Amino acid sequence: MRKILFVLAACLSITACELETSGNGDLDGFWQLKSVDTLATGKSADMRESGVYWAFQCDMMSVKKINQISAFLRFNNTGDSLFLSEPYIDNRDSSDIVIDDVEVLRPLGINELEEHFGISKLESGAMVLKSKTLRLNFRKY
């Protein structure tokens, strides 16, 4: 009888838990900015040594430039588009600070407080995002 109760309790505890997944597929994870192409001029900048990284999980993303700035934003991934909004400076010493000046985000490849990127490529190891003015090339880290 004890074995039956133990098995029943184990089954109930397993079915009571739900697995939560983000539905972001290959987008989730840590990305290094490799290059930025300026669409108007066709010029490209090598960003591999810049220390710019983006990370995605659920509906939050972290963006940082090593030893300079760390921020987070909300994002919405629709499959062919990525919408960024609600940027904050990541301030662990006190409360986070709302970013209201896009100049803070420009070194990270973001040129609007509410940015829209088309997803040109998204695979397990490579991502290409295109805004109105830039094409960002990433590698999964």
Side-chain angles (χ1 to χ4, degrees):
M1 184 67 165
R2 281 184 152 189
K3 287 183 182 178
I4 293 173
L5 288 175
F6 176 75
V7 170
L8 182 60
C11 289
L12 289 174
S13 67
I14 291 171
T15 59
C17 297
E18 289 183 29
L19 254 172
E20 187 173 322
T21 59
S22 69
N24 291 323
D26 288 332
L27 181 64
D28 277 347
F30 197 64
W31 296 89
Q32 177 190 24
L33 183 61
K34 289 186 350 177
S35 65
V36 175
D37 305 328
T38 303
L39 300 177
T41 64
K43 294 191 178 195
S44 185
D46 185 344
M47 300 294 288
R48 289 176 291 186
E49 301 299 320
S50 70
V52 174
Y53 296 92
W54 291 19
F56 297 89
Q57 186 177 10
C58 292
D59 67 345
M60 295 292 293
M61 71 177 283
S62 168
V63 292
K64 66 176 53 185
K65 185 165 184 163
I66 302 299
N67 298 325
Q68 290 189 22
I69 182 174
S70 181
F72 60 90
L73 300 92
R74 293 238 179 246
F75 76 91
N76 182 23
N77 172 17
T78 65
D80 64 351
S81 290
L82 185 66
F83 297 91
L84 309 183
S85 62
E86 301 178 49
Y88 286 84
I89 295 287
D90 186 359
N91 187 0
R92 295 184 187 258
D93 295 333
S94 62
S95 63
D96 299 320
I97 303 165
V98 174
I99 297 173
D100 57 6
D101 182 1
V102 75
E103 294 304 317
V104 174
L105 299 172
R106 287 191 199 282
L108 304 167
I110 301 169
N111 289 315
E112 296 185 26
L113 295 175
E114 291 193 6
E115 182 78 274
H116 168 248
F117 289 99
I119 300 174
S120 301
K121 179 179 185 178
L122 181 57
E123 299 172 349
S124 61
M127 175 171 63
V128 178
L129 302 177
K130 186 177 172 185
S131 71
K132 290 185 239 178
T133 58
L134 301 175
R135 182 175 22 259
L136 307 177
N137 298 282
F138 294 86
R139 77 171 176 112
K140 198 149 205 180
Y141 207 78

